[in-house]
Amino acid sequence: MFCKLLLWFLFMGIAASEGDGNFIYRGFRGANMSLGGEAEITSNGLLRLNNAIRQKGHAMYPVPLHFKPSHGKTHSFSTNFVFAILPQDPDLSGSGVVFVISPSKEFPGGENGKYMGIFNETNNGKSSNHMAAIEFDTFFNPEFRDIDENHIGIDINGLDSISSAPAAYFSNVSRRFENLSLISGDLMHVWVEYNGFQNQLNVTLSPIGLPKPDLPLLSSTVNLSSIILDNMYIGFSSTTRRFQSSHYILGWSFKMNGQAQALDLWQLPNLPQPKKKSKVLTIGLPVIVSVLMLMAILAVGLIVIRKIKFAEIQEDWERDFGPHRFSYKDLYTATKGFTDRDLLGVGGFGRVYRGVLSASKIEVAVKRVSHESRQGMREFISEIVSLGRLRHRNLVQLLGYCRRKRELLLVYDFMPNGSLDKFLFDHPNSMLRWSQRFRIIKGVASALLYLHEEWEQVVLHRDIKASNVLLDNEMNGRLGDFGLARLYDHGTDPQTTHMVGTFGYLAPDLTRTGKATTSTDVFAFGAFMLEVACGRRSIDPQLSVDEIILVEWISKCWRKGTILAAADLKLGVDYEVEEMELVLKLGLLCSHPLTAARPSMRQVVKFLDRDAPLPDLSPDDLGAAILAVGPSEGPNDLRLSYPSSSEQWFACTSSLPESALSSGL
Ligand SMILES: *[C@@H]1O[C@H](CO)[C@@H](O)[C@H](O)[C@H]1NC(C)=O
Ligand SMILES: *[C@@H]1O[C@H](CO)[C@@H](O)[C@H](O)[C@H]1NC(C)=O
Ligand SMILES: *[C@@H]1O[C@H](CO)[C@@H](O)[C@H](O)[C@H]1NC(C)=O
Ligand SMILES: *[C@@H]1O[C@H](CO)[C@@H](O)[C@H](O)[C@H]1NC(C)=O
């Protein structure tokens, strides 16, 4: 071991004195190279042989190397280096780079262009040159029997290669040669190895970063001993011809009689960035442009989808209604997208959602009413909007609307306590005291009076019932949904007309003629009053035969002289007897089958306020009147089969045959 080390030191000492034949440059910063022509070492350590059009440059190891031992046979040697050719225009090649072994480190007679800066017309090919070179040629010159414009060749004393091949590398993975482009700007790794015993010269090429290929690109038998001299310089030369390009050497290692040290990519200086830009432009730009275009298409798509999602219908005439129009987007935001979580209820006309208007923070209820036909829409909207001007403390305020295809959205004040029916029927969770009930009845009556008589035009409600009476935070009754029934009156096909109103609230004259009047509203109000007082629905098939029809049950009680027996049992005795009696009797009066016998809302309000006494009715009169409406008065086929003598009173269905409605429509 010690002997080996000693020998190595001895050898190093001898070699060092004559150029030790073993070196490595990982970048050339501070290197003592012998530069000629335009060659220079850049500030970051690149060895740049030339940089412009029609330039030549060379860089040689500064001291000659001792190639031949005393017996005359040439030493074996190996070298590897990394170079790059950066053409300004990737389609136009310059000339090329050579690795050269030469008796001189200067090439005074070397010509530019095709002669690679080392030969000239007179000496090219002469054995007196004593030169060997490996050329990386990017120019097709038939004069030197070049094979193409992208090849590697072994040159002895001239540029006529003794052996050449298109630039390629043997892939250890695919086990075959893969083409390379010398002017791609990519870093090329080259191994040149000479075996002095076998006179074998191998040249191996590879893109940087891959392990050394298992097979060389060129392998040639050359007796260098007969060509080169004992002391030779080694280095690089390059020239540019018609087109500008830059030739760089990034790293280089050499070893006489041994394996040259490996070069690692990460140890080498970086190529100048601006040249890389061309790559960014040629490959990156199309990618960036297509990505941007894709994003633009996506954005447009999203905008279109949004437009469709939030599409509304607005016609010129609607502009006049101005402030009552909401945008669908605002309502969508207010209700958080009409999710079921904010669903307040599903009514006869559509679903109702709770929402908060983002601008004003007002809590609203949004009713989505679907409608099929456009017919009559204009009148209806204008009516709805004019109804928006109605102001009464016992009406649910309509704040505005929004119109979409096949859909109308109505925006109302939000009523925190929900609808009255939830407090009356089917085992309610919380019960209303009589005073609350009486106040609700009076409130709804005054709202109805306002609609019928106190506003600028007569407005029919058409659908008075407990579920349309909403309770505000002070438990005041507020009538909602007024006028909505009109939507279904307008422009509908008589063949499929649906009776508007609710079972149990429909006056017999309405079912007969299909024509709503203030009197049919009064009838429905009567049914409503009785329901509130008795805490049950006007028709309840689950009760005993006697009690199914509420008005009939109350009249029976009245005839027996025990009208209060009909009062809501849940109230016990906690009610004003006079008020209860008044409500029950007035309810029956309003429910009178004959239109003329029903009071007007003005009279109803007076009776409730005790400003006028209830006319002296006897239960027998009323009973007779009820019975007077014989079966001939109402269409038989509309009757429901209740086992009651007065079934025709409330007999109706939700859909009427054409004949029954034709007079009314
Ligand atoms: C570079 O090498 C040459 C030849 O060996 C030598 O004469 C010169 O002094 C060296 N210069 C530097 C800066 O080392
Ligand atoms: C060619 O090169 C040789 C050696 O460098 C030189 O002696 C000769 O003058 C050159 N000839 C021309 C024509 O440049
Ligand atoms: C590689 O280059 C050679 C010569 O230029 C050509 O004949 C061959 O088709 C190329 N192979 C591929 C796979 O491009
Ligand atoms: C190589 O050339 C040298 C010098 O010309 C000669 O002595 C030797 O025999 C040659 N070797 C072979 C294998 O041709």
Side-chain angles (χ1 to χ4, degrees):
M1 185 68 188
F2 176 72
C3 281
K4 250 189 176 171
L5 267 177
L6 192 66
L7 273 173
W8 185 75
F9 275 117
L10 277 174
F11 173 78
M12 287 304 286
I14 296 159
S17 64
E18 301 180 335
D20 60 14
N22 182 16
F23 59 82
I24 181 162
Y25 293 105
R26 302 177 177 96
F28 294 87
R29 186 175 292 159
N32 185 6
M33 296 289 286
S34 173
L35 303 178
E38 263 73 37
E40 64 178 26
I41 292 168
T42 67
S43 57
N44 70 334
L46 289 167
L47 173 54
R48 186 173 63 202
L49 297 172
N50 46 37
N51 193 33
I53 200 164
R54 281 183 216 291
Q55 278 190 342
K56 60 177 186 175
H58 62 259
M60 307 299 286
Y61 189 67
V63 292
L65 301 182
H66 182 59
F67 270 83
K68 286 182 181 176
S70 48
H71 55 77
K73 217 166 164 46
T74 298
H75 281 307
S76 296
F77 65 84
S78 87
T79 182
N80 74 100
F81 55 91
V82 175
F83 78 96
I85 299 174
L86 270 63
Q88 195 176 51
D89 184 329
D91 294 330
L92 301 171
S93 60
S95 182
V97 180
V98 290
F99 167 72
V100 62
I101 304 173
S102 160
S104 160
K105 59 177 173 179
E106 300 295 334
F107 306 94
E111 274 183 20
N112 202 349
K114 61 187 178 185
Y115 291 106
M116 297 286 190
I118 52 175
F119 299 111
N120 61 34
E121 204 180 340
T122 34
N123 71 5
N124 184 42
K126 297 272 165 63
S127 57
S128 57
N129 287 332
H130 297 290
M131 282 161 74
I134 312 297
E135 66 171 41
F136 302 88
D137 197 349
T138 65
F139 194 84
F140 175 57
N141 196 336
E143 190 187 335
F144 302 141
R145 288 180 285 151
D146 279 355
I147 49 169
D148 61 15
E149 75 296 312
N150 181 47
H151 63 270
I152 291 169
I154 298 174
D155 300 343
I156 303 296
N157 291 327
L159 289 167
D160 246 342
S161 303
I162 59 159
S163 170
S164 66
Y169 74 101
F170 181 80
S171 165
N172 295 346
V173 177
S174 69
R175 306 308 295 173
R176 58 190 171 89
F177 281 92
E178 309 282 353
N179 286 350
L180 283 175
S181 167
L182 296 176
I183 59 168
S184 62
D186 294 339
L187 300 184
M188 300 287 165
H189 199 169
V190 180
W191 293 260
V192 178
E193 288 149 324
Y194 181 69
N195 183 323
F197 301 102
Q198 296 165 358
N199 296 338
Q200 184 79 22
L201 182 63
N202 285 349
V203 181
T204 310
L205 181 66
S206 162
I208 191 88
L210 298 183
K212 187 185 168 196
D214 292 344
L215 289 182
L217 178 60
L218 293 176
S219 184
S220 213
T221 305
V222 195
N223 188 351
L224 283 183
S225 301
S226 59
I227 297 155
I228 62 173
L229 306 176
D230 184 12
N231 287 317
M232 298 292 279
Y233 291 90
I234 54 174
F236 304 91
S237 174
S238 94
T239 56
T240 52
R241 303 183 77 172
R242 249 167 295 168
F243 306 107
Q244 184 181 337
S245 68
S246 307
H247 298 153
Y248 292 94
I249 311 293
L250 292 89
W252 180 26
S253 82
F254 183 93
K255 187 169 167 74
M256 196 71 83
N257 288 316
Q259 187 70 48
Q261 293 177 66
L263 289 169
D264 292 319
L265 176 65
W266 60 271
Q267 294 175 318
L268 304 180
N270 291 321
L271 283 180
Q273 278 306 330
K275 295 288 179 186
K276 283 273 176 193
K277 214 172 184 178
S278 66
K279 210 169 168 183
V280 168
L281 288 178
T282 49
I283 299 165
L285 201 65
V287 170
I288 290 166
V289 165
S290 34
V291 165
L292 284 179
M293 273 173 70
L294 204 74
M295 280 166 70
I297 290 168
L298 273 176
V300 168
L302 280 178
I303 288 168
V304 168
I305 287 169
R306 252 179 106 78
K307 267 224 138 71
I308 292 170
K309 187 173 174 185
F310 295 123
E312 298 172 19
I313 297 173
Q314 182 157 29
E315 290 173 35
D316 286 345
W317 55 267
E318 285 184 60
R319 303 246 158 79
D320 306 340
F321 302 126
H324 289 303
R325 172 100 198 195
F326 281 90
S327 83
Y328 180 69
K329 211 172 135 186
D330 286 350
L331 297 183
Y332 189 89
T333 319
T335 58
K336 299 192 196 87
F338 297 103
T339 51
D340 281 351
R341 236 188 43 214
D342 286 323
L343 185 66
L344 288 174
V346 183
F349 297 109
R351 297 158 87 81
V352 188
Y353 297 86
R354 201 185 77 92
V356 178
L357 295 178
S358 53
S360 52
K361 305 279 175 246
I362 291 176
E363 238 181 331
V364 293
V366 182
K367 177 168 270 200
R368 298 184 79 150
V369 183
S370 61
H371 70 89
E372 293 306 319
S373 81
R374 266 173 55 95
Q375 270 183 307
M377 202 57 201
R378 177 179 186 153
E379 293 152 87
F380 178 69
I381 301 260
S382 63
E383 199 169 301
I384 286 288
V385 170
S386 72
L387 291 180
R389 301 199 333 263
L390 290 168
R391 291 281 185 281
H392 190 278
R393 56 190 296 269
N394 294 105
L395 286 178
V396 177
Q397 184 65 41
L398 175 70
L399 300 176
Y401 73 101
C402 170
R403 221 182 121 196
R404 306 185 78 207
K405 210 175 170 188
R406 302 225 183 105
E407 196 175 38
L408 182 69
L409 293 99
L410 298 171
V411 184
Y412 293 98
D413 264 345
F414 177 69
M415 291 292 125
N417 285 317
S419 59
L420 177 60
D421 58 334
K422 303 217 169 61
F423 292 87
L424 290 179
F425 310 136
D426 311 324
H427 315 293
N429 288 330
S430 83
M431 213 192 57
L432 295 173
R433 293 190 307 277
W434 173 251
S435 60
Q436 288 174 313
R437 297 192 198 197
F438 194 57
R439 201 175 59 197
I440 290 166
I441 289 171
K442 290 212 287 188
V444 173
S446 76
L448 207 50
L449 172 61
Y450 174 76
L451 292 179
H452 284 180
E453 294 183 29
E454 292 177 351
W455 201 52
E456 55 198 52
Q457 73 192 58
V458 176
V459 178
L460 300 181
H461 187 286
R462 292 158 191 263
D463 200 13
I464 298 159
K465 56 179 170 180
S467 61
N468 272 344
V469 171
L470 300 162
L471 300 173
D472 64 18
N473 43 15
E474 291 161 1
M475 297 305 270
N476 290 309
R478 287 179 174 232
L479 198 49
D481 262 0
F482 37 89
L484 253 198
R486 288 284 284 168
L487 180 59
Y488 290 85
D489 275 6
H490 281 300
T492 40
D493 181 355
Q495 295 285 352
T496 60
T497 291
H498 287 256
M499 193 68 221
V500 176
T502 302
F503 187 65
Y505 290 88
L506 293 172
D509 43 314
L510 179 61
T511 62
R512 219 167 36 240
T513 65
K515 192 166 162 53
T517 60
T518 53
S519 189
T520 57
D521 268 0
V522 170
F523 183 93
F525 178 72
F528 163 76
M529 281 170 85
L530 297 177
E531 286 183 340
V532 175
C534 304
R536 51 157 287 191
R537 294 178 196 277
S538 51
I539 296 174
D540 190 344
Q542 287 170 343
L543 295 173
S544 69
V545 172
D546 267 359
E547 297 181 26
I548 286 178
I549 313 267
L550 179 58
V551 278
E552 195 188 324
W553 165 240
I554 299 170
S555 346
K556 275 180 190 158
C557 293
W558 192 6
R559 269 192 236 183
K560 283 191 266 173
T562 56
I563 192 169
L564 293 176
D568 191 347
L569 293 175
K570 294 187 292 285
L571 286 170
V573 292
D574 294 336
Y575 56 83
E576 291 287 325
V577 172
E578 268 180 49
E579 286 172 0
M580 180 63 87
E581 249 179 67
L582 172 65
V583 167
L584 291 175
K585 287 176 185 173
L586 183 57
L588 286 180
L589 186 60
C590 292
S591 303
H592 202 287
L594 294 178
T595 316
R598 292 174 212 152
S600 69
M601 279 320 292
R602 187 168 293 284
Q603 288 171 308
V604 168
V605 169
K606 272 188 182 160
F607 295 143
L608 288 172
D609 288 344
R610 251 70 76 75
D611 286 347
L614 206 59
D616 207 8
L617 296 162
S618 84
D620 293 328
D621 289 346
L622 198 63
I626 288 166
L627 292 170
V629 187
S632 59
E633 293 280 328
N636 286 342
D637 49 351
L638 293 179
R639 267 187 254 161
L640 296 175
S641 53
Y642 288 112
S644 161
S645 59
S646 52
E647 62 190 21
Q648 70 276 5
W649 261 49
F650 294 96
C652 71
T653 64
S654 60
S655 71
L656 286 177
E658 186 184 0
S659 61
L661 289 174
S662 52
S663 57
L665 292 173

